[in-house]
Amino acid sequence: MMDLFSSFDPSSGIMALPLNWLSTLLGMLFLPYILWAMPSRWSFVWASLLDTLHKEFKILLGKGKATGTLMFVSLFSIIVFNNLLDLLPHIFTSTSHLTMNLSLALPLWISFMLFGWVNNTKHMLAHLVPLGTPGPLMPFMVLIEVTSNLIRPGTLAVRLTANMIAGHLLLTILSNAMVSMSGIIILSTLLISQILLLLLELAVAIIQSYVFSVLSTLYASEVD
Amino acid sequence: MLSRLALRSLQEAKPVLLGIRSTSSTAVNKSSERDEVNFPHPVRPIEPGKVRMGFIPEEWFKFFYPKTGVTGPYMFGIGLTTYLCSKEILVMEHEFYTGITILIMVVFAVKKFGKGVAAYLDKEIDEIEGVWVNYRKSSIDSIKKAIEEEKKSQWEAQGQSILFDAKRENIAIQLETAYRERLANVQSEVKKRLDYQLEMANVKTRIEQKHMVDWIVNSVRTAITPAQEAAALKQCFADLKALAPKDA
């Protein structure tokens, strides 16, 4: 049965091996060749983008002993390529599946929490009560903070999944309408499609929110 | 890029690329183990590869020319598209129209912002290249200047020998002056001695003369007898009387 969500569950593979997940690595084809000391146009753009990101994350991670921004920048790269390539026709979006996003978010969060709780237990416990809460409110604040901490991986993953699915779904609906339309109204639907696509390109901004949220988690829980 | 490598013959491409970057291979340490004929170093192209209709490489068109002429690749493209559409391999469903919309957007964006973005990026890359080129050029310039200064200091060092000659001459002049001064000294001293001797002789002669005169006078005086003295006196009285005025 072909319904609206069929584009999200293709199964193209050998026997039972789902090869459609290989689209995750499709972004690697877009990485620039850096064969010479002089950059080409695309390698310059990519290098300056990553440079900006490294600087931003370094600031966020603070003046710790070891500020490793590589993981977050590579996280950003894989998500940005997957989200942008989703817009092109017939390409499977791996980041629109909760499986993929949870497998990105959960290990990160669990490792941060384990490290923080095992090594700086007092520090972590102290952070459960924000500064300046009135006395009687403290037990509830602890509960709230514990809850917010616990659902962090869920929010990270679900945020990305929901954004991707929603955007792609809208596009699908619009283009389905365009299939069965005839006349000048096609022009207006084309226009709306264009605007929506531009909006979807703001999926790139969602990557920023993803990585920033991961970073703020790390920053808040460990260094400070 | 891989398709270009597959379809392009290196003979026709090499002169174009090597001509542009002929200076880059002169300063590189070449390893002797690499087979340069079968595995040449990739040369950095200056211009992006020629494309037709924005994204199809020229080499794909040229591939058809010997067999089919200039309409070949277009017929191939139209035929292939028709085949895919008719056999429902390329299904015109919602994704297809999304693709058409994206194509329109991309064409619009490239036509509107393409030149500006490319110019900006080229400027940035030229800045980076300028840093490297400037470093090399300024190193060469400073080393050339150092060579010039070295030559100048060598010339100055040669000029030192003239200075030595002048100094030698100066000292010779000083020595000559001192010698002449001492010569004059010697002359004056010798003259003084001789003058002294002369004076001595003069003085001796004078004293002798005086002594002789005195002796003659004294002897004459003692030789005068009293009779002569009285006769002289009488004569004097007589002369005086004769000379006295007559009225006295």
Side-chain angles (χ1 to χ4, degrees), chain B residues 70-89:
Chain B
V70 290
T71 52
Y74 293 105
M75 289 313 299
F76 175 71
I78 293 172
L80 189 66
T81 320
T82 316
Y83 164 73
L84 291 174
C85 291
S86 71
K87 288 277 185 189
E88 293 268 325
I89 297 172

Side-chain angles (χ1 to χ4, degrees), chain A residues 78-155:
Chain A
I78 192 174
I79 296 177
V80 78
F81 276 128
N82 274 307
N83 291 347
L84 282 175
L85 287 171
D86 170 36
L87 304 175
L88 298 173
H90 298 292
I91 291 186
F92 174 67
T93 329
S94 47
T95 46
S96 64
H97 292 265
L98 202 57
T99 328
M100 164 90 170
N101 295 336
L102 263 179
S103 37
L104 283 176
L106 210 52
L108 278 173
W109 175 82
I110 285 182
S111 57
F112 294 155
M113 287 294 127
L114 275 176
F115 181 82
W117 282 97
V118 164
N119 289 330
N120 307 335
T121 316
K122 220 184 280 186
H123 182 82
M124 296 290 277
L125 279 169
H127 264 283
L128 285 178
V129 182
L131 273 170
T133 48
L137 217 55
M138 276 192 211
F140 302 107
M141 282 310 297
V142 170
L143 275 176
I144 291 172
E145 288 287 326
V146 164
T147 323
S148 86
N149 241 347
L150 282 176
I151 64 167
R152 267 195 186 139
T155 56

Side-chain angles (χ1 to χ4, degrees), chain B residues 28-37 39 41:
Chain B
V28 172
N29 286 336
K30 292 223 184 266
S31 147
S32 55
E33 293 177 356
R34 182 172 171 143
D35 183 3
E36 293 282 339
V37 174
F39 304 99
H41 285 285

Side-chain angles (χ1 to χ4, degrees), chain A residues 59-82:
Chain A
I59 296 172
L60 279 174
L61 281 176
K63 290 190 269 286
K65 270 171 276 180
T67 52
T69 54
L70 186 60
M71 181 171 72
F72 303 105
V73 172
S74 47
L75 196 62
F76 171 84
S77 311
I78 192 174
I79 296 177
V80 78
F81 276 128
N82 274 307

Side-chain angles (χ1 to χ4, degrees), chain A residues 1-219:
Chain A
M1 183 186 73
M2 294 291 290
D3 59 321
L4 216 47
F5 288 88
S6 301
S7 61
F8 290 106
D9 45 87
S11 52
S12 55
I14 307 173
M15 308 241 260
L17 202 66
L19 289 176
N20 49 333
W21 287 97
L22 280 177
S23 72
T24 317
L25 303 172
L26 204 59
M28 284 176 61
L29 288 176
F30 287 80
L31 294 173
Y33 289 143
I34 305 183
L35 293 171
W36 296 285
M38 293 302 139
S40 61
R41 287 176 187 164
W42 172 228
S43 78
F44 175 77
V45 168
W46 186 245
S48 57
L49 176 68
L50 291 192
D51 204 25
T52 319
L53 280 171
H54 271 294
K55 287 202 191 88
E56 287 247 20
F57 293 163
K58 228 176 171 61
I59 296 172
L60 279 174
L61 281 176
K63 290 190 269 286
K65 270 171 276 180
T67 52
T69 54
L70 186 60
M71 181 171 72
F72 303 105
V73 172
S74 47
L75 196 62
F76 171 84
S77 311
I78 192 174
I79 296 177
V80 78
F81 276 128
N82 274 307
N83 291 347
L84 282 175
L85 287 171
D86 170 36
L87 304 175
L88 298 173
H90 298 292
I91 291 186
F92 174 67
T93 329
S94 47
T95 46
S96 64
H97 292 265
L98 202 57
T99 328
M100 164 90 170
N101 295 336
L102 263 179
S103 37
L104 283 176
L106 210 52
L108 278 173
W109 175 82
I110 285 182
S111 57
F112 294 155
M113 287 294 127
L114 275 176
F115 181 82
W117 282 97
V118 164
N119 289 330
N120 307 335
T121 316
K122 220 184 280 186
H123 182 82
M124 296 290 277
L125 279 169
H127 264 283
L128 285 178
V129 182
L131 273 170
T133 48
L137 217 55
M138 276 192 211
F140 302 107
M141 282 310 297
V142 170
L143 275 176
I144 291 172
E145 288 287 326
V146 164
T147 323
S148 86
N149 241 347
L150 282 176
I151 64 167
R152 267 195 186 139
T155 56
L156 281 174
V158 170
R159 181 190 297 121
L160 190 57
T161 314
N163 274 301
M164 286 295 110
I165 291 186
H168 203 87
L169 210 58
L170 277 169
L171 268 179
T172 314
I173 292 171
L174 263 157
S175 8
N176 268 332
M178 264 166 58
V179 169
S180 52
M181 204 68 75
S182 63
I184 203 72
I185 314 173
I186 292 180
L187 208 63
S188 54
T189 41
L190 265 174
L191 234 85
I192 298 171
S193 269
Q194 284 188 21
I195 296 171
L196 264 177
L197 266 173
L198 267 173
L199 204 71
L200 258 178
E201 273 169 295
L202 294 177
V204 179
I206 296 188
I207 294 91
Q208 202 165 41
S209 75
Y210 185 92
V211 186
F212 271 122
S213 38
V214 171
L215 263 181
S216 60
T217 316
L218 165 71
Y219 180 53

Side-chain angles (χ1 to χ4, degrees), chain B residues 44-232:
Chain B
R44 176 174 168 249
I46 302 299
E47 297 291 324
K50 292 192 72 53
V51 286
R52 216 187 277 205
M53 291 201 288
F55 69 101
I56 309 175
E58 267 297 317
E59 287 84 6
W60 291 13
F61 284 82
K62 287 210 174 58
F63 176 70
F64 284 94
Y65 283 176
K67 286 275 160 62
T68 64
V70 290
T71 52
Y74 293 105
M75 289 313 299
F76 175 71
I78 293 172
L80 189 66
T81 320
T82 316
Y83 164 73
L84 291 174
C85 291
S86 71
K87 288 277 185 189
E88 293 268 325
I89 297 172
L90 179 66
V91 182
M92 294 207 178
E93 36 111 42
H94 68 280
E95 299 244 17
F96 181 75
Y97 291 105
T98 311
I100 294 201
T101 317
I102 291 176
L103 186 71
I104 293 173
M105 277 173 65
V106 163
V107 164
F108 173 77
V110 165
K111 283 225 179 322
K112 190 148 170 147
F113 306 115
K115 282 215 166 20
V117 169
Y120 166 73
L121 288 174
D122 280 342
K123 192 167 70 74
E124 294 286 326
I125 293 172
D126 281 341
E127 258 177 49
I128 295 177
E129 190 173 353
V131 165
W132 290 71
V133 164
N134 261 349
Y135 169 72
R136 184 165 169 262
K137 201 160 73 73
S138 69
S139 311
I140 289 177
D141 281 345
S142 74
I143 289 174
K144 275 204 179 107
K145 206 151 58 139
I147 291 176
E148 291 300 320
E149 306 228 318
E150 178 65 31
K151 281 205 180 104
K152 185 153 172 263
S153 66
Q154 275 180 4
W155 171 80
E156 277 172 6
Q158 278 175 1
Q160 288 290 332
S161 64
I162 300 175
L163 210 68
F164 292 152
D165 282 343
K167 281 187 184 162
R168 226 176 273 134
E169 210 177 295
N170 199 10
I171 288 181
I173 287 174
Q174 281 179 354
L175 281 173
E176 184 74 22
T177 313
Y179 172 70
R180 284 192 190 176
E181 203 180 298
R182 285 183 195 175
L183 203 62
N185 256 358
V186 161
Q187 196 182 25
S188 69
E189 285 294 312
V190 165
K191 186 157 177 298
K192 262 202 288 193
R193 301 259 187 302
L194 288 176
D195 280 346
Y196 171 72
Q197 295 299 328
L198 187 68
E199 275 304 309
M200 282 287 285
N202 280 348
V203 160
K204 194 165 167 204
T205 319
R206 203 170 62 227
I207 288 176
E208 275 178 0
Q209 196 176 21
K210 187 161 177 264
H211 180 70
M212 193 187 293
V213 162
D214 281 346
W215 184 74
I216 290 175
V217 164
N218 270 341
S219 63
V220 163
R221 200 173 278 159
T222 47
I224 298 177
T225 56
Q228 279 178 334
E229 206 177 324

